[in-house]
Amino acid sequence: MNKKLLKRNKFYDKLAHYVITIGGVAVILSVVAILVLIVRVSLPLFQPPTSEIVDHKITVTEPLAVIGLDDYQENVFTIDQKGVLSVFSLQGQETVPPVDLGINHDAHIIFTSRSRTEYSLLWDDGRLSVVGISFRPVFNAEGTRSIEPQIAMQGEYASLPTGSPLLQSFFATSVDEDAPGTVRVNLHQDNSVSIFRTSISESLFGDVEETDESFVIPAYFETISALALSEDGRQLYAGTGGGTLLHWDISAAPVLEDTVPAFKQPITALGMVFGSQSLAVGTADGSLTTWMGVRDSDQSTTKKLRRIHTLTSHDSPVVAILPSRRDKSLLSWSAKGELHLDHMTSERNLYNFALGSVSLASLNDRGKGLIALTATGVQLLKLHNPHPEVSFKTLFGKVWYENYDSPEYAWQSSSGSDDFEPKFSITPLLFGTIKGTIYAMLFALPLAIFGAVYVSQFAPPHLQQIIKPTVEVMASVPSVVIGFLIALMLAPFIETHLVALILCFLLVPLCFVGFLFLWHYGQRFKAIHEMKSGFEFLLVLPVILGGVLLSYYVSPFVENQFFAGNFTQYMFENIGATYDQRNCIIIAFGLGFCVIPLIFSISEDALSNVPSGLRHASLALGASRWQTAWRVVLPSASPGIFAGSMIGLGRAVGETMIILMATGNTPIMDWSIFNGMRTLSANIAVEIPEAPVDGTLYRVLFLCAVLLFGMTFIVNTGAELIRDRLRKKYAQY
Amino acid sequence: MKNDNRNAIIAIEDSIVQVRDLNLFYGTSQALFNLNFDIPRNKVTALIGPSGCGKSTFIRCINRMNDLVDSVNINGSIQLDQQDIFDKSVDVIDLRRKIGMVFQKSNPFPKSIYENVIYGLRIGGVTEKPVLEEAAEVSLKRSALWDEVKDRLHDSAMGLSGGQMQRLCIARAIAVSPDIILMDEPCSALDPRSTAHIEELIRELNGEYTIIIVTHNMQQASRVSDLTAFLYEGELIEFGKTTDLFTVPVKKATEDYITGRFG
């Protein structure tokens, strides 16, 4: 019997051992698994781009003017110099009969340019043809897909009656609803530039009227070697052989806005970056830079061209620069056949192919296929670079974005337009996280710790039994409720009573100090002297309430007398500080409300668990309650209080709902307590619903999660180390 | 047994504490019944009696440590130097500075040995370093700990042995120069050697301080004390010279207890 019992005990002991071990290991494993999972999602951000050569059977016999690849990477189209458009499958078969775009069969194409999906072809007889080429998938009855080319002649412009022969010609269509129309810009052999604009206006009655205008920009003293026209046809840029960059506003009569003689080399190629905000400039020594109009100062309205990004240089003169139609990437190639794909924002050199010689090249619209015509024939490459805009610098450094006056840390992940430059700086989010946490802890720590000291050391026992559970109930209030209350009730209240709040911080301590004097003199009165210790708060409470009420009633007077009737306005005018309704004061209250119960509860436990022998020893030596609490109990409980504070800190760092509702979520970097911020956690919550799976934003958000994980890990590890030292120092027997 | 124990008052020429009609209640249950006796100045008085007889409760009345227990009610008086310590005008902090206490379980603060000894002076507002250092040395010498710790005064007190800790607590009590030292079973958690050490110390302090010691150990009471009080179920059964009480007890209960018939 006894042996049986022994055996059974042993069995249960073993069972418990295994269950507990499995539980512990499972916890560690699941934490590691979560980390691995989020790291794995964010890791592709940093993977280098890859490419893959695609086999094909396309051969080219005629000299070409245009070569292109469809988005599905199944069709290649070419326009030869005689104007014949052919579409090939990768097997080399023509999928549709060739289309002859030319009218005059003796003419040859001498220059081509592209704006959106329109190719403009300049013939040697001076005519200009504009042809739109696009592809779309078609499904037949069996559901198999084929890609059909859509070829549309957009316009045919006759040769110019006068003027010197043409070298280059550009064409753009304005898609602006208010000012639709087309623009044709020509570069002549005599170095002059002519501009033809057709504006379409619609009268109130729906009559469509076309007006034609033409302008001539006289020959510049340096040879114009490259031209670029913005997609809306309003901005014209020219580069010269003498290394000068010129910019005209041609939305009406041409106005020379800028002359930048910054290049010691002839400019050999120009190209508009997708979105037509930035201009890429290539020079004879192979350098590749992007430029953009920037205001000189806050007051000025004119913009001057400034160099913003410097991309990887080529080994020889840059021959051509083509923008990606997908993002801010640029395809460029040099005389010696070096083909680069660079991303403007991140300044990353994504691809660098040495192809010997490149006569034509093109990216497909999705930016995933590259086709190049080289000495050895047609080269077809499949590209895999899903996150070209991400680099260490764009994530953590200052970047000079389009339409910004200076480099900034900015977070703006999306916008209404396709040609938007995404801004993925995590720095303001880290900043916001730290800022919110600091203000919250400044508010919560003293309240929670002193509250715990009062309850554990001073309060009468039956009061203790009420206060502690009450504070702990606070912890169970859902954070969304706290967020709702402080965002919709506290924030507007504080906005209107800001001066009263600030006065509170002044008047309440003053009232309290005054009370202490009264208390001191009041000792001679029997009623006060014999008051049961622990109930002093009954006397203090009205004093503090009085301070608050006093602040409330005095504030309108103070505001009128000293702050010209409106404190926030006064603050803005005199120290330039703006006041947001959702700001760090609100956050301090809200986050404080949510972390105080945690810190309070753990600290109170730690304080109460200090052996009573220590308290008694101190009291028996004639120490007052405060001396005992301050010199003996607090140091002894410090490891526990510290741990509680760190758990509170961890909660504040990760708290999402309150921040989300009450900060305004503005990713700004400003220490002002009157401004809001955006934290890592709130950022994830705000943006994840609009982040396409596996897109850059999605992965950057996971990176935010990794950082958040890392931050809390560092905080907790650091806290544990410090706590361990404290525990050794104040070890109890 | 609830007889009149006024006859327990024995003639003491120079008493420091006079206990008069002391009753103590924990809530509704009474723990001390009508205690009346005087404690002589600069002598060692031992309190003996079985567990739960109210010895510790009694000495905690003397420095009003019972104030910390919410449910305690006291009537009667304890006079210290002709002043009732329960009077509302008495500052409990002053009172406790006059009365040192050594607890059953040694309770040094988690601070250095030096800081432990001078704690009472520090909270009393003494800041001059020479004064503090001298007080520390004198107290440690008086408590016979100096030779053992003089080279590591600034090490943590937690590194001392149990006996050393208890002597440190005595040094800490002595440092504020109290009139009375209360010892609540100071040796109950110590090995015989450390106990001998403490007892020797008590004998050395005898004559300089009024010491009131609670003990379970009757041999100890007979070894260290001049007078002994026997408490039983909250009542003072017998009080007299230690030699008399252990040799010719007046009361039957005392005799039963000291001869080991109960307790």
Side-chain angles (χ1 to χ4, degrees):
Chain A
M1 177 62 199
N2 218 344
K3 218 166 188 180
K4 211 173 158 193
L5 194 70
L6 210 69
K7 226 171 169 182
R8 214 171 64 183
N9 281 349
K10 234 176 192 168
F11 169 76
Y12 281 123
D13 201 50
K14 265 219 161 98
L15 188 72
H17 173 80
Y18 286 125
V19 167
I20 291 166
T21 308
I22 289 168
V25 170
V27 167
I28 294 173
L29 279 184
S30 44
V31 170
V32 171
I34 290 170
L35 184 64
V36 167
L37 203 78
I38 57 178
V39 167
R40 266 183 54 149
V41 177
S42 61
L43 216 55
L45 285 176
F46 304 104
Q47 274 169 2
T50 55
S51 66
E52 179 190 327
I53 294 172
V54 180
D55 286 331
H56 63 86
K57 296 202 175 77
I58 298 162
T59 48
V60 173
T61 46
E62 296 286 320
L64 295 187
V66 171
I67 193 163
L69 178 67
D70 78 333
D71 278 347
Y72 307 89
Q73 301 184 44
E74 290 172 15
N75 294 281
V76 171
F77 65 94
T78 60
I79 302 175
D80 68 17
Q81 290 186 355
K82 286 179 185 156
V84 178
L85 169 68
S86 322
V87 181
F88 301 98
S89 69
L90 292 191
Q91 277 67 45
Q93 274 115 31
E94 290 184 79
T95 53
V96 288
V99 183
D100 192 352
L101 301 169
I103 295 170
N104 175 351
H105 294 289
D106 296 331
H108 282 73
I109 295 170
I110 57 167
F111 184 80
T112 61
S113 67
R114 185 182 176 192
S115 175
R116 298 199 175 89
T117 54
E118 295 160 353
Y119 289 85
S120 40
L121 314 170
L122 179 66
W123 305 87
D124 56 4
D125 58 6
R127 283 180 307 110
L128 180 75
S129 306
V130 179
V131 57
I133 303 170
S134 58
F135 291 83
R136 68 176 189 143
V138 175
F139 294 87
N140 65 12
E142 285 96 59
T144 49
R145 187 198 65 179
S146 57
I147 306 300
E148 257 182 26
Q150 312 246 301
I151 298 153
M153 289 304 290
Q154 306 277 355
E156 184 70 38
Y157 296 87
S159 55
L160 302 179
T162 55
S164 86
L166 299 183
L167 287 177
Q168 298 184 0
S169 206
F170 295 84
F171 181 83
T173 313
S174 170
V175 290
D176 186 350
E177 277 178 26
D178 296 329
T182 56
V183 179
R184 178 184 176 190
V185 175
N186 307 299
L187 175 64
H188 298 262
Q189 258 171 15
D190 65 359
N191 212 23
S192 66
V193 174
S194 59
I195 299 160
F196 296 87
R197 174 184 297 281
T198 306
S199 314
I200 303 159
S201 56
E202 198 173 329
S203 74
L204 227 48
F205 305 102
D207 302 328
V208 176
E209 199 184 333
E210 287 190 9
T211 40
D212 293 331
E213 292 167 293
S214 70
F215 309 101
V216 174
I217 298 170
Y220 193 70
F221 73 94
E222 290 171 349
T223 323
I224 289 176
S225 49
L227 274 181
L229 179 65
S230 67
E231 283 193 342
D232 61 2
R234 292 180 180 199
Q235 312 296 326
L236 179 66
Y237 300 88
T240 71
T244 308
L245 183 61
L246 303 166
H247 169 214
W248 291 275
D249 183 347
I250 57 165
S251 43
V255 179
L256 182 63
E257 297 258 305
D258 238 334
T259 308
V260 188
F263 301 86
K264 298 189 170 62
Q265 297 285 326
I267 292 173
T268 51
L270 292 178
M272 297 306 303
V273 180
F274 184 46
S276 288
Q277 297 277 346
S278 299
L279 174 75
V281 181
T283 60
D285 65 350
S287 80
L288 186 59
T289 50
T290 69
W291 294 67
M292 156 180 106
V294 177
R295 293 188 300 163
D296 316 327
S297 62
D298 285 348
Q299 280 77 38
S300 88
T301 50
T302 57
K303 291 184 166 185
K304 292 284 168 202
L305 280 176
R306 290 201 43 186
R307 191 174 67 213
I308 307 298
H309 297 287
T310 303
L311 307 177
T312 311
S313 292
H314 286 270
D315 57 347
S316 50
V318 180
V319 174
I321 303 171
L322 292 178
S324 157
R325 306 261 331 132
R326 178 90 179 160
D327 55 26
K328 304 285 179 186
S329 296
L330 289 165
L331 182 70
S332 60
W333 64 91
S334 71
K336 284 191 185 163
E338 220 179 67
L339 189 77
H340 284 189
L341 185 65
D342 299 88
H343 194 271
M344 179 181 76
T345 316
S346 64
E347 299 183 5
R348 273 176 70 192
N349 180 234
L350 303 167
Y351 294 100
N352 192 345
F353 301 112
L355 297 174
S357 78
V358 178
S359 48
L360 285 172
S362 160
L363 272 179
N364 69 358
D365 283 358
R366 281 192 185 165
K368 290 189 173 169
L370 175 68
I371 187 164
L373 184 61
T374 67
T376 54
V378 176
Q379 297 270 355
L380 207 53
L381 290 155
K382 204 179 210 170
L383 308 180
H384 184 74
N385 59 329
H387 314 293
E389 63 273 65
V390 172
S391 68
F392 192 79
K393 197 184 164 206
T394 54
L395 287 176
F396 298 101
K398 279 191 171 182
V399 177
W400 201 333
Y401 295 105
E402 290 182 341
N403 294 324
Y404 277 57
D405 291 340
S406 57
E408 300 258 2
Y409 299 106
W411 174 275
Q412 194 190 348
S413 59
S414 55
S415 134
S417 67
D418 291 340
D419 54 16
F420 162 79
E421 190 179 21
K423 300 161 187 74
F424 289 125
S425 180
I426 294 178
T427 313
L429 308 177
L430 282 169
F431 178 91
T433 307
I434 293 168
K435 180 187 174 188
T437 309
I438 285 178
Y439 281 119
M441 293 311 271
L442 275 180
F443 175 72
L445 271 186
L447 274 181
I449 293 177
F450 285 111
V453 170
Y454 171 74
V455 169
S456 72
Q457 305 297 313
F458 296 94
H462 55 272
L463 210 60
Q464 273 176 27
Q465 282 155 22
I466 300 169
I467 296 177
K468 195 163 184 230
T470 310
V471 174
E472 278 161 1
V473 163
M474 268 169 69
S476 64
V477 177
S479 59
V480 66
V481 174
I482 301 177
F484 177 79
L485 286 176
I486 64 164
L488 296 175
M489 298 178 73
L490 187 69
F493 182 82
I494 286 184
E495 190 183 27
T496 44
H497 297 98
L498 183 62
V499 177
L501 181 76
I502 293 169
L503 277 177
C504 267
F505 283 103
L506 208 70
L507 288 179
V508 172
L510 267 179
C511 288
F512 189 72
V513 170
F515 169 78
L516 285 184
F517 276 105
L518 285 178
W519 172 257
H520 186 75
Y521 290 111
Q523 289 297 315
R524 62 183 67 162
F525 296 106
K526 206 162 175 259
I528 291 180
H529 183 76
E530 286 172 13
M531 186 156 185
K532 205 153 186 222
S533 56
F535 280 100
E536 295 88 347
F537 76 95
L538 288 179
L539 286 179
V540 182
L541 220 56
V543 174
I544 288 177
L545 274 178
V548 172
L549 285 178
L550 187 67
S551 312
Y552 183 81
Y553 286 110
V554 163
S555 66
F557 172 75
V558 172
E559 196 162 12
N560 281 327
Q561 210 64 22
F562 300 107
F563 302 113
N566 187 335
F567 180 68
T568 51
Q569 184 76 22
Y570 180 87
M571 204 167 62
F572 179 69
E573 283 165 2
N574 286 277
I575 56 172
T578 51
Y579 181 84
D580 297 337
Q581 192 201 50
R582 311 272 165 97
N583 58 45
C584 281
I585 302 174
I586 312 294
I587 284 308
F589 283 131
L591 269 189
F593 194 87
C594 130
V595 299
I596 279 173
L598 270 179
I599 304 176
F600 172 86
S601 178
I602 297 171
S603 301
E604 209 275 341
D605 285 344
L607 287 162
S608 302
N609 286 339
V610 171
S612 60
L614 288 184
R615 283 187 66 205
H616 290 172
S618 172
L619 291 170
L621 280 164
S624 65
R625 282 183 300 162
W626 172 248
Q627 281 172 323
T628 303
W630 184 250
R631 286 166 184 264
V632 174
V633 180
L634 264 177
S636 300
S638 59
I641 294 175
F642 187 79
S645 307
M646 284 299 135
I647 289 172
L649 185 77
R651 173 83 198 269
V653 167
E655 174 54 46
T656 309
M657 214 56 220
I658 295 173
I659 303 260
L660 189 69
M661 296 174 86
T663 55
N665 295 311
T666 39
I668 50 169
M669 293 183 59
D670 188 345
W671 278 113
S672 166
I673 195 168
F674 301 119
N675 291 141
M677 73 272 174
R678 180 184 281 209
T679 67
L680 284 169
S681 55
N683 188 54
I684 296 171
V686 170
E687 306 242 349
I688 203 81
E690 21 184 305
V693 173
D694 292 349
T696 304
L697 175 58
Y698 183 81
R699 295 197 193 281
V700 169
L701 291 177
F702 270 81
L703 184 69
C704 288
V706 174
L707 286 175
L708 203 55
F709 198 101
M711 268 175 93
T712 38
F713 184 77
I714 289 169
V715 165
N716 285 343
T717 311
E720 198 51 46
L721 291 177
I722 295 172
R723 195 161 77 108
D724 218 45
R725 289 195 57 175
L726 284 174
R727 209 152 37 184
K728 277 192 186 125
K729 196 172 169 194
Y730 296 110
Q732 281 147 15
Y733 43 95
Chain B
M1 292 258 282
K2 307 252 185 285
N3 55 351
D4 175 28
N5 59 17
R6 274 196 176 270
N7 57 13
I9 302 175
I10 61 162
I12 288 165
E13 307 90 60
D14 183 17
S15 67
I16 183 166
V17 173
Q18 298 90 36
V19 181
R20 293 290 174 266
D21 303 324
L22 186 73
N23 288 288
L24 185 143
F25 302 84
Y26 285 112
T28 51
S29 74
Q30 191 163 3
L32 296 177
F33 295 88
N34 217 25
L35 299 188
N36 283 290
F37 64 118
D38 292 0
I39 291 166
R41 191 183 297 277
N42 295 344
K43 293 246 166 16
V44 178
T45 305
L47 298 176
I48 60 168
S51 294
C53 70
K55 309 180 299 277
S56 296
T57 305
F58 169 68
I59 68 163
R60 279 162 179 271
C61 289
I62 300 175
N63 66 348
R64 281 179 61 181
M65 288 300 275
N66 282 330
D67 288 13
L68 301 175
V69 185
D70 218 37
S71 58
V72 163
N73 278 307
I74 296 171
N75 58 50
S77 79
I78 296 177
Q79 306 267 332
L80 175 68
D81 290 331
Q82 277 71 54
Q83 163 84 50
D84 181 5
I85 61 163
F86 298 123
D87 193 84
K88 297 284 184 196
S89 65
V90 168
D91 187 345
V92 68
I93 287 171
D94 274 351
L95 177 77
R96 287 180 187 155
R97 294 188 71 77
K98 283 191 239 164
I99 303 172
M101 187 164 188
V102 177
F103 294 81
Q104 183 171 2
K105 197 177 169 204
S106 60
N107 50 4
F109 301 125
K111 296 170 184 275
S112 69
I113 294 167
Y114 173 74
E115 283 294 332
N116 261 286
V117 179
I118 63 166
Y119 180 83
L121 294 171
R122 265 206 202 285
I123 57 169
V126 180
T127 50
E128 296 88 355
K129 220 179 159 198
V131 178
L132 293 173
E133 279 176 355
E134 208 203 319
E137 189 178 335
V138 169
S139 315
L140 284 170
K141 278 180 175 163
R142 292 239 28 75
S143 60
L145 195 60
W146 177 252
D147 291 336
E148 290 160 60
V149 300
K150 65 182 178 210
D151 300 325
R152 46 174 179 147
L153 282 179
H154 296 282
D155 290 1
S156 170
M158 296 301 155
L160 297 174
S161 72
Q164 286 172 326
M165 281 190 189
Q166 198 60 302
R167 275 181 283 150
L168 178 67
C169 292
I170 296 174
R172 186 171 67 186
I174 293 172
V176 288
S177 332
D179 301 335
I180 302 174
I181 301 174
L182 307 174
M183 294 188 180
D184 190 357
E185 299 184 36
C187 303
S188 66
L190 299 181
D191 61 275
R193 217 171 132 247
S194 302
T195 305
H197 236 110
I198 303 274
E199 287 180 8
E200 197 184 321
L201 178 57
I202 294 169
R203 281 196 296 272
E204 271 171 37
L205 296 174
N206 191 355
E208 282 178 70
Y209 298 95
T210 307
I211 296 174
I212 304 170
I213 179 168
V214 167
T215 179
H216 259 119
N217 182 333
M218 283 168 286
Q219 282 76 29
Q220 185 175 62
S222 65
R223 281 195 296 266
V224 300
S225 68
D226 302 308
L227 292 107
T228 300
F230 172 54
L231 270 75
Y232 182 68
E233 292 189 344
E235 291 184 60
L236 183 65
I237 306 299
E238 188 167 348
F239 183 49
K241 287 224 167 70
T242 304
T243 44
D244 298 346
L245 191 130
F246 280 103
T247 49
V248 277
V250 177
K251 295 280 165 70
K252 174 92 171 55
T254 316
E255 194 181 346
D256 288 350
Y257 183 65
I258 61 176
T259 53
R261 253 169 250 165
F262 71 93

